[in-house]
Amino acid sequence: MKYMTTAEIREKYLRFFEEKGCKRMPSSSLIPDDPSLLLTSAGMVQFKPYFLHVKEFDPSYIGATTVQKCVRTNDIDIIGTTGRHLSFFEMLGNFSFGAYFKDEMCAWAYEFATEVLELPKDRLYFTVFENDDETIEIWKKLGVEEDHISRLGEDDNFWRAGPTGPCGPCSEIYFDQGPDFGCGSPDCAPGCDCDRFLEFWNCVFTQYDGQEDGTLAPLPTKNIDTGMGLERMAAIMQGVQSNYETDVMRDLIAVGERLSGKSYKADAADDLSLRIVADHSRSVSFMIADGILPSNEGRGYVLRRLLRRAVMHGHKLGIEGAFLSNYVDAVVRLMGDVYPEIVDNRELVERVILSEEERFGVTLRQGQAYLADALSKLDGTLLDGATAFTLHDTYGFPVEITEEICADAGISVDKEGFASCMEEQRERARAATKDDAEAAWSTYGGVHDELLKELGATGFVGYDRLTASAEVRAIIKDGVRVDALAAGEEGEVILGLTPFYAEMGGEVGDMGTIEAEGLKLEVLDTKAPAKGLVCHVVKAVEGSVHTGDTVRAIVDELRRKRITRNHTCTHLLHAALRRVLGDHVKQAGSYVGPDRLRFDFTHFEGMTAEQIAEVERVTNDAIMQALPMAIYETSLEAARESGVTALFGEKYGDTVRVVEAGEFSRELCGGCHVANTAEIGFVKIVSESSVGANLRRIEAVTSFDALAYANKVESELKETAAALKATMFDVAERTAANLQLIKEFEAERKQAKKAAAEGSVAEHIKDMVDVGYPLVIARIDGLDSGALRNAWDVLRSRMPEPGACVIGTVNNDKPVIMAAATDEAVAAGFDAGAVIKAIAGNIKGGGGGKPVMAQAGGKDAAGMDAALDAARALLIKA
């Protein structure tokens, strides 16, 4: 067969289907636009709205073709142990939403496999659903021998989105790798668990709508959803036995060889570690580039676990210090031309990984301490599985690392117990996410999605005007579609078009009114519960509104202007932060309201006062320059080529909206903005704080709110100046001088108090009695805990020979008793802990300690004298 690189296969596939009339579309983000999915794990995820006809696909194309980056980690611990499992992989896809079906798809798949890839026909095998005679005939007409076609049951060759919903038979294509890969059974055939027949392409014919009673109703259109694993095909075309031996993965393994000095295929344990680090480094690079940051939950936890597992195996290979940035370099070199986001976000990826490697160094030491403690308490020679799992799950220790550490101490690990804990975790994960395919379809439905499907997207005219006449297309009350809302009722109103901006991208939704003759609706909020459908959350103040009414939508203009000032300011702040702190800064979230703005960004340490001041200065400089704002639409590709900043973790379509503030800031954004930066007035940063690992937050105000903030600060400063009898600009100096005086006075006060206390304590030496050792029992009120111990030091220094004391004090109505002794007094029979235990009940307290020192606090100061009398009775013999 002809050798092909991964890049060649990828491009040939996309070009092939492009030439058939399909639209080449970019990979969607690993953060799916679907709350039911943790990570994008299949090519069809971004096309879900088209399959369900919630959105209509571009009619100038017959379908779509993509290469989709995917991450799957349900079985993370298997990754690296076989040649097939990867956490990150690329899925070549082809999708049709009614334009073509089985005949075309099978013919094109066969053509691509045999003519473009030039795979030998006699080594191709096909499986079909057991009742799908039609597809069998199609393959036979294409020239496939009947003995190369197998029928398999529903588990293998019938795809379902879930118990109900879109479904259909599928046909899979296998490559015969030869008897050397097989199990040796005479019955070995496609579907066997051995590696002889490698499935590389799955053609799903989504033509039915599964009903609750089990019947299959035809869908309005017959759809195609195909997927081919790029790494699997690369292994076939490059004549290798494992995904890890293909060109891309082998180059990543070579990075580990260079860093560790180890050779691949020389040692099984080293090979496993080299594979794991190669795979995981690629995954974490792409995840961070798409906006995922390490955390303790959700996809951030998946990222952290992959990253820590890579670090552990790097250390196992003998690689010292932080090393994963070397893999980032290789990932960018190998895949940056296809996925520009990893190039654009390279600095951020490297900084996040370095920060996490350093943080994990601390956790690693904690885990080692946890294991050492567990081993020290071990009764026997077997570490229980639960402890091994805690090390794995909490501290990131792969079980093989735990086994190695234990082996050095002659301890084995309960692998069965560990496996049981792992399986319990996997079951929890599966229960939470269900099947990838099922979850990918599960969130569609409900009143808003039905309305979007029926009415289409709401026309938005709010960029250019704040009032518009429109027809009421639908009304929702309590989650149910209704015909009308009466005065006093609340609900949602959907218009044919609207000037109201729906909450999106951090910008809050517009407020205002919807009016007509005898009708007034107060718009409390504007939202888009289904992408493209604008819902006005309203309260009927006057009159009733009905579906079909013609109304006038009026946005609260002053509120919108305040919001636009704050929104444009977030763009300027973003640009200023990148200038001051570096290009690793990326927006990671925002809130844009009428009264304030919040801007979250990636950074790895708290900003200094000087940095905050400089960011504020740079931003205000851009405002004062009165930069004109230019807003226009262009292609995503053209925007990227021109250097426009794409927001971290955002997902964009082919056509994007660019917002420019002169040459200072250029971002992709769908929000509302001022026409000129001078409209912002000025900005004042109110605070800078941490909101998580590698994430910082700036809160700020602009325009009239910035003026109000400055006026409040000035008012407070004037009041402080008046109190200090100083001018406003001398407040800091005067305050510092006063604080120094207070510090000196406090030191003098403490010294005087200490001297007085020592003098008072010394007076009690005259009450000392000899009980075989010197003993002082005294009440000295007003002592805190430090002074109480100091009293013992004074007494001890004044005693003629080593002795003991029992001192009681009442300070702010709180009684405390301390007993203390020298070692000699203890040897002579004094036990401070026993004394305190015997007398503390008199002050309704409790406490304890050692023979040399013990202490008790109580609730009843009136019992102090009785407690000291009890001590005398206990210690002084008649």
Side-chain angles (χ1 to χ4, degrees), residues 39-96:
L39 293 158
T40 299
S41 57
M44 57 73 57
V45 171
Q46 68 169 303
F47 299 106
K48 182 166 124 182
Y50 304 111
F51 280 118
L52 293 172
H53 296 280
V54 172
K55 290 175 66 176
E56 294 303 317
F57 193 70
D58 188 337
S60 59
Y61 295 92
I62 65 170
T65 185
T66 64
V67 55
Q68 175 66 50
K69 53 190 175 186
C70 300
V71 169
R72 287 183 190 167
T73 58
N74 283 351
D75 295 313
I76 187 173
D77 296 281
I78 297 175
I79 293 164
T81 62
T82 75
R84 302 296 171 214
H85 286 82
L86 300 168
S87 61
F88 177 95
F89 60 95
E90 295 178 85
M91 183 66 74
L92 297 166
N94 171 244
F95 311 92
S96 172

Side-chain angles (χ1 to χ4, degrees), residues 693-765:
N694 310 314
L695 280 179
R696 308 297 301 178
R697 170 173 292 172
I698 275 180
E699 298 194 56
V701 285
T702 69
S703 186
F704 293 106
D705 296 293
L707 181 61
Y709 177 82
N711 286 339
K712 183 178 180 181
V713 171
E714 182 183 16
S715 176
E716 293 286 336
L717 188 58
K718 284 180 176 178
E719 287 185 25
T720 305
L724 292 171
K725 294 182 171 56
T727 66
M728 279 200 307
F729 299 107
D730 289 332
V731 165
E733 184 178 345
R734 180 68 60 86
T735 300
N738 287 347
L739 287 173
Q740 182 60 34
L741 283 174
I742 291 171
K743 185 177 180 180
E744 292 171 0
F745 288 151
E746 182 64 20
E748 291 174 4
R749 185 191 70 81
K750 285 183 177 179
Q751 188 61 35
K753 185 176 180 181
K754 181 180 179 182
E758 288 180 358
S760 174
V761 169
E763 290 180 4
H764 290 279
I765 289 293

Side-chain angles (χ1 to χ4, degrees), residues 345-394:
N345 296 313
R346 176 177 182 164
E347 181 184 359
L348 175 67
V349 172
E350 291 178 340
R351 291 289 298 270
V352 170
I353 286 176
L354 176 61
S355 174
E356 196 67 12
E357 282 185 285
E358 291 172 345
R359 287 166 60 89
F360 183 46
V362 176
T363 304
L364 189 59
R365 289 190 290 275
Q366 292 172 341
Q368 289 168 332
Y370 175 84
L371 178 56
D373 182 63
L375 293 178
S376 70
K377 297 175 180 177
L378 199 62
D379 183 15
T381 59
L382 182 68
L383 183 73
D384 63 281
T387 298
F389 179 75
T390 298
L391 283 162
H392 160 85
D393 197 50
T394 303

Side-chain angles (χ1 to χ4, degrees), residues 538-827:
V538 303
K539 180 177 182 179
V541 177
E542 177 185 340
S544 298
V545 62
H546 301 79
T547 303
D549 287 352
T550 298
V551 295
R552 187 158 187 80
I554 307 167
V555 174
D556 182 333
E557 182 175 2
L558 283 177
R559 183 174 180 274
R560 167 71 85 81
K561 284 183 176 179
R562 295 174 71 194
I563 292 169
T564 59
R565 291 175 190 133
N566 285 339
H567 196 156
T568 303
C569 191
T570 63
H571 287 225
L572 303 183
L573 274 171
H574 192 185
L577 284 163
R578 288 171 65 85
R579 281 167 168 77
V580 174
L581 301 180
D583 289 342
H584 66 276
V585 168
K586 300 284 184 181
Q587 179 174 340
S590 68
Y591 168 84
V592 179
D595 57 336
R596 63 189 174 90
L597 66 90
R598 185 180 70 225
F599 188 81
D600 296 346
F601 58 99
T602 54
H603 191 50
F604 309 95
E605 58 190 2
M607 293 175 65
T608 65
E610 292 76 16
Q611 288 172 330
I612 294 171
E614 180 62 9
V615 168
E616 187 176 271
R617 186 198 69 75
V618 171
T619 306
N620 278 310
D621 183 62
I623 293 170
M624 302 306 175
Q625 286 183 46
L627 301 172
M629 300 293 294
I631 302 175
Y632 59 90
E633 289 189 347
T634 186
S635 69
L636 178 61
E637 184 178 356
R640 287 189 182 279
E641 288 176 354
S642 65
V644 173
T645 300
L647 296 192
F648 194 44
E650 281 291 319
K651 295 167 280 294
Y652 299 101
D654 290 341
T655 301
V656 293
R657 185 169 182 262
V658 179
V659 176
E660 294 181 351
E663 294 298 318
F664 184 79
S665 168
R666 304 175 71 226
E667 288 190 11
L668 302 182
C669 182
C672 302
H673 292 276
V674 299
N676 188 292
T677 59
E679 295 177 36
I680 298 171
F682 74 104
V683 62
K684 190 67 191 169
I685 295 176
V686 175
S687 68
E688 189 273 348
S689 60
S690 170
V691 287
N694 310 314
L695 280 179
R696 308 297 301 178
R697 170 173 292 172
I698 275 180
E699 298 194 56
V701 285
T702 69
S703 186
F704 293 106
D705 296 293
L707 181 61
Y709 177 82
N711 286 339
K712 183 178 180 181
V713 171
E714 182 183 16
S715 176
E716 293 286 336
L717 188 58
K718 284 180 176 178
E719 287 185 25
T720 305
L724 292 171
K725 294 182 171 56
T727 66
M728 279 200 307
F729 299 107
D730 289 332
V731 165
E733 184 178 345
R734 180 68 60 86
T735 300
N738 287 347
L739 287 173
Q740 182 60 34
L741 283 174
I742 291 171
K743 185 177 180 180
E744 292 171 0
F745 288 151
E746 182 64 20
E748 291 174 4
R749 185 191 70 81
K750 285 183 177 179
Q751 188 61 35
K753 185 176 180 181
K754 181 180 179 182
E758 288 180 358
S760 174
V761 169
E763 290 180 4
H764 290 279
I765 289 293
K766 68 180 186 302
D767 300 322
M768 182 177 64
V769 294
D770 189 341
V771 292
Y773 49 86
L775 172 67
V776 173
I777 299 177
R779 175 170 176 169
I780 311 173
D781 288 337
L783 303 182
D784 57 25
S785 57
L788 197 59
R789 287 188 294 272
N790 186 61
W792 163 234
D793 292 338
V794 172
L795 287 174
R796 183 172 53 188
S797 68
R798 303 291 178 93
M799 287 177 172
E801 57 184 275
C805 76
V806 179
I807 302 174
T809 185
V810 177
N811 189 17
N812 295 325
D813 293 325
K814 294 180 180 180
V816 179
I817 305 171
M818 180 189 74
T822 62
D823 291 338
E824 291 83 353
V826 171

Side-chain angles (χ1 to χ4, degrees), residues 121 130 181 199 265 273 305 340 345 405 435-436 446 463 465-466 518 547 574 611 613 624 682 715 770:
K121 295 180 181 179
E130 56 191 356
F181 289 79
E199 182 252 315
K265 292 296 184 75
S273 293
R305 192 170 171 212
N345 296 313
I405 296 172
D435 180 76
D436 285 331
Y463 290 137
R465 49 195 171 113
L466 299 181
T547 303
H574 192 185
Q611 288 172 330
M624 302 306 175
F682 74 104
S715 176
D770 189 341

Side-chain angles (χ1 to χ4, degrees), residues 430-490:
R430 291 177 186 127
T433 61
K434 299 183 181 179
D435 180 76
D436 285 331
E438 178 179 343
W441 293 83
S442 63
T443 59
Y444 273 78
V447 64
H448 295 107
D449 293 308
E450 289 298 323
L451 284 171
L452 178 60
K453 187 175 179 180
E454 176 187 335
L455 305 176
T458 307
F460 177 66
V461 297
Y463 290 137
D464 304 312
R465 49 195 171 113
L466 299 181
T467 63
S469 294
E471 178 190 354
V472 176
R473 303 293 306 280
I475 302 171
I476 300 170
K477 184 175 184 292
D478 297 327
V480 178
R481 193 170 177 178
V482 296
D483 292 326
L485 279 181
E489 293 184 327
E490 295 187 10

